[in-house]
PDB file of all heavy atoms in Angstrom:
ATOM      1  N   ASP A  45      -8.287 -11.131  -7.972  1.00 96.00           N
ATOM      2  CA  ASP A  45      -8.861 -11.915  -6.981  1.00 96.00           C
ATOM      3  C   ASP A  45      -9.356 -11.158  -5.836  1.00 96.00           C
ATOM      4  O   ASP A  45     -10.225 -11.591  -5.075  1.00 96.00           O
ATOM      5  CB  ASP A  45      -8.102 -13.094  -6.528  1.00 96.00           C
ATOM      6  CG  ASP A  45      -7.676 -14.055  -7.532  1.00 96.00           C
ATOM      7  OD1 ASP A  45      -8.419 -14.104  -8.545  1.00 96.00           O
ATOM      8  OD2 ASP A  45      -6.832 -14.928  -7.331  1.00 96.00           O
ATOM      9  N   ARG A  46      -8.811  -9.957  -5.687  1.00 94.00           N
ATOM     10  CA  ARG A  46      -9.156  -8.937  -4.543  1.00 94.00           C
ATOM     11  C   ARG A  46      -8.738  -9.734  -3.228  1.00 94.00           C
ATOM     12  O   ARG A  46      -9.521  -9.476  -2.238  1.00 94.00           O
ATOM     13  CB  ARG A  46     -10.557  -8.485  -4.568  1.00 94.00           C
ATOM     14  CG  ARG A  46     -10.936  -7.668  -5.714  1.00 94.00           C
ATOM     15  CD  ARG A  46     -12.405  -7.277  -5.735  1.00 94.00           C
ATOM     16  NE  ARG A  46     -12.832  -6.537  -4.579  1.00 94.00           N
ATOM     17  CZ  ARG A  46     -12.543  -5.405  -4.065  1.00 94.00           C
ATOM     18  NH1 ARG A  46     -11.730  -4.573  -4.754  1.00 94.00           N
ATOM     19  NH2 ARG A  46     -12.996  -4.888  -2.902  1.00 94.00           N
ATOM     20  N   SER A  47      -7.820 -10.554  -3.204  1.00 93.00           N
ATOM     21  CA  SER A  47      -7.443 -11.356  -2.037  1.00 93.00           C
ATOM     22  C   SER A  47      -6.182 -12.102  -2.327  1.00 93.00           C
ATOM     23  O   SER A  47      -5.796 -12.400  -3.486  1.00 93.00           O
ATOM     24  CB  SER A  47      -8.543 -12.357  -1.750  1.00 93.00           C
ATOM     25  OG  SER A  47      -8.266 -13.410  -0.849  1.00 93.00           O
ATOM     26  N   VAL A  48      -5.538 -12.446  -1.191  1.00 94.00           N
ATOM     27  CA  VAL A  48      -4.414 -13.281  -1.280  1.00 94.00           C
ATOM     28  C   VAL A  48      -4.714 -14.812  -1.081  1.00 94.00           C
ATOM     29  O   VAL A  48      -3.915 -15.671  -1.200  1.00 94.00           O
ATOM     30  CB  VAL A  48      -3.215 -12.878  -0.319  1.00 94.00           C
ATOM     31  CG1 VAL A  48      -2.745 -11.644  -0.697  1.00 94.00           C
ATOM     32  CG2 VAL A  48      -3.669 -13.029   1.152  1.00 94.00           C
ATOM     33  N   GLU A  49      -5.937 -15.085  -0.824  1.00 93.00           N
ATOM     34  CA  GLU A  49      -6.470 -16.478  -0.463  1.00 93.00           C
ATOM     35  C   GLU A  49      -6.251 -17.461  -1.588  1.00 93.00           C
ATOM     36  O   GLU A  49      -6.114 -18.627  -1.219  1.00 93.00           O
ATOM     37  CB  GLU A  49      -7.913 -16.383   0.033  1.00 93.00           C
ATOM     38  CG  GLU A  49      -8.101 -15.684   1.344  1.00 93.00           C
ATOM     39  CD  GLU A  49      -9.466 -15.458   1.674  1.00 93.00           C
ATOM     40  OE1 GLU A  49     -10.382 -16.115   1.087  1.00 93.00           O
ATOM     41  OE2 GLU A  49      -9.722 -14.629   2.679  1.00 93.00           O
ATOM     42  N   GLN A  50      -6.188 -17.133  -2.813  1.00 94.00           N
ATOM     43  CA  GLN A  50      -6.113 -17.960  -3.901  1.00 94.00           C
ATOM     44  C   GLN A  50      -4.753 -18.209  -4.256  1.00 94.00           C
ATOM     45  O   GLN A  50      -4.428 -18.987  -5.295  1.00 94.00           O
ATOM     46  CB  GLN A  50      -6.954 -17.436  -5.091  1.00 94.00           C
ATOM     47  CG  GLN A  50      -8.468 -17.152  -4.934  1.00 94.00           C
ATOM     48  CD  GLN A  50      -9.130 -18.319  -4.436  1.00 94.00           C
ATOM     49  OE1 GLN A  50      -8.900 -19.433  -5.044  1.00 94.00           O
ATOM     50  NE2 GLN A  50     -10.062 -18.254  -3.486  1.00 94.00           N
ATOM     51  N   LEU A  51      -3.704 -17.671  -3.599  1.00 96.00           N
ATOM     52  CA  LEU A  51      -2.373 -17.903  -3.952  1.00 96.00           C
ATOM     53  C   LEU A  51      -1.845 -19.203  -3.492  1.00 96.00           C
ATOM     54  O   LEU A  51      -2.250 -19.731  -2.482  1.00 96.00           O
ATOM     55  CB  LEU A  51      -1.556 -16.841  -3.269  1.00 96.00           C
ATOM     56  CG  LEU A  51      -1.670 -15.339  -3.684  1.00 96.00           C
ATOM     57  CD1 LEU A  51      -0.703 -14.499  -2.873  1.00 96.00           C
ATOM     58  CD2 LEU A  51      -1.488 -15.177  -5.155  1.00 96.00           C
ATOM     59  N   SER A  52      -1.008 -19.909  -4.351  1.00 96.00           N
ATOM     60  CA  SER A  52      -0.352 -21.172  -4.108  1.00 96.00           C
ATOM     61  C   SER A  52       0.650 -20.925  -2.874  1.00 96.00           C
ATOM     62  O   SER A  52       0.978 -19.736  -2.597  1.00 96.00           O
ATOM     63  CB  SER A  52       0.275 -21.769  -5.243  1.00 96.00           C
ATOM     64  OG  SER A  52       1.411 -20.968  -5.531  1.00 96.00           O
ATOM     65  N   THR A  53       1.102 -21.910  -2.345  1.00 96.00           N
ATOM     66  CA  THR A  53       2.152 -21.846  -1.393  1.00 96.00           C
ATOM     67  C   THR A  53       3.387 -21.069  -1.898  1.00 96.00           C
ATOM     68  O   THR A  53       3.853 -20.256  -1.184  1.00 96.00           O
ATOM     69  CB  THR A  53       2.572 -23.196  -0.881  1.00 96.00           C
ATOM     70  OG1 THR A  53       1.384 -23.934  -0.393  1.00 96.00           O
ATOM     71  CG2 THR A  53       3.581 -23.228   0.291  1.00 96.00           C
ATOM     72  N   LYS A  54       3.812 -21.361  -3.101  1.00 97.00           N
ATOM     73  CA  LYS A  54       4.961 -20.631  -3.650  1.00 97.00           C
ATOM     74  C   LYS A  54       4.690 -19.207  -3.893  1.00 97.00           C
ATOM     75  O   LYS A  54       5.594 -18.336  -3.622  1.00 97.00           O
ATOM     76  CB  LYS A  54       5.452 -21.415  -4.997  1.00 97.00           C
ATOM     77  CG  LYS A  54       6.181 -22.578  -4.841  1.00 97.00           C
ATOM     78  CD  LYS A  54       6.698 -22.947  -6.184  1.00 97.00           C
ATOM     79  CE  LYS A  54       7.608 -24.262  -6.026  1.00 97.00           C
ATOM     80  NZ  LYS A  54       8.226 -24.690  -7.426  1.00 97.00           N
ATOM     81  N   GLN A  55       3.479 -18.971  -4.439  1.00 97.00           N
ATOM     82  CA  GLN A  55       3.119 -17.494  -4.655  1.00 97.00           C
ATOM     83  C   GLN A  55       2.982 -16.819  -3.314  1.00 97.00           C
ATOM     84  O   GLN A  55       3.401 -15.592  -3.291  1.00 97.00           O
ATOM     85  CB  GLN A  55       1.742 -17.593  -5.420  1.00 97.00           C
ATOM     86  CG  GLN A  55       1.765 -17.940  -6.871  1.00 97.00           C
ATOM     87  CD  GLN A  55       0.520 -18.090  -7.467  1.00 97.00           C
ATOM     88  OE1 GLN A  55      -0.539 -18.512  -6.813  1.00 97.00           O
ATOM     89  NE2 GLN A  55       0.443 -17.746  -8.865  1.00 97.00           N
ATOM     90  N   LEU A  56       2.449 -17.373  -2.367  1.00 96.00           N
ATOM     91  CA  LEU A  56       2.268 -16.666  -1.089  1.00 96.00           C
ATOM     92  C   LEU A  56       3.750 -16.441  -0.413  1.00 96.00           C
ATOM     93  O   LEU A  56       3.924 -15.414   0.215  1.00 96.00           O
ATOM     94  CB  LEU A  56       1.637 -17.665  -0.158  1.00 96.00           C
ATOM     95  CG  LEU A  56       0.979 -17.075   1.242  1.00 96.00           C
ATOM     96  CD1 LEU A  56       0.298 -15.636   0.883  1.00 96.00           C
ATOM     97  CD2 LEU A  56       0.218 -17.987   2.061  1.00 96.00           C
ATOM     98  N   ALA A  57       4.729 -17.284  -0.628  1.00 97.00           N
ATOM     99  CA  ALA A  57       6.077 -17.134  -0.225  1.00 97.00           C
ATOM    100  C   ALA A  57       6.684 -15.869  -0.890  1.00 97.00           C
ATOM    101  O   ALA A  57       7.316 -15.065  -0.359  1.00 97.00           O
ATOM    102  CB  ALA A  57       6.885 -18.362  -0.408  1.00 97.00           C
TER     103      ALA A  57
END
Side-chain angles (χ1 to χ4, degrees):
D45 294 344
R46 297 181 48 77
S47 169
V48 297
E49 293 174 11
Q50 302 299 318
L51 297 180
S52 70
T53 304
K54 282 186 174 183
Q55 289 171 325
L56 195 54

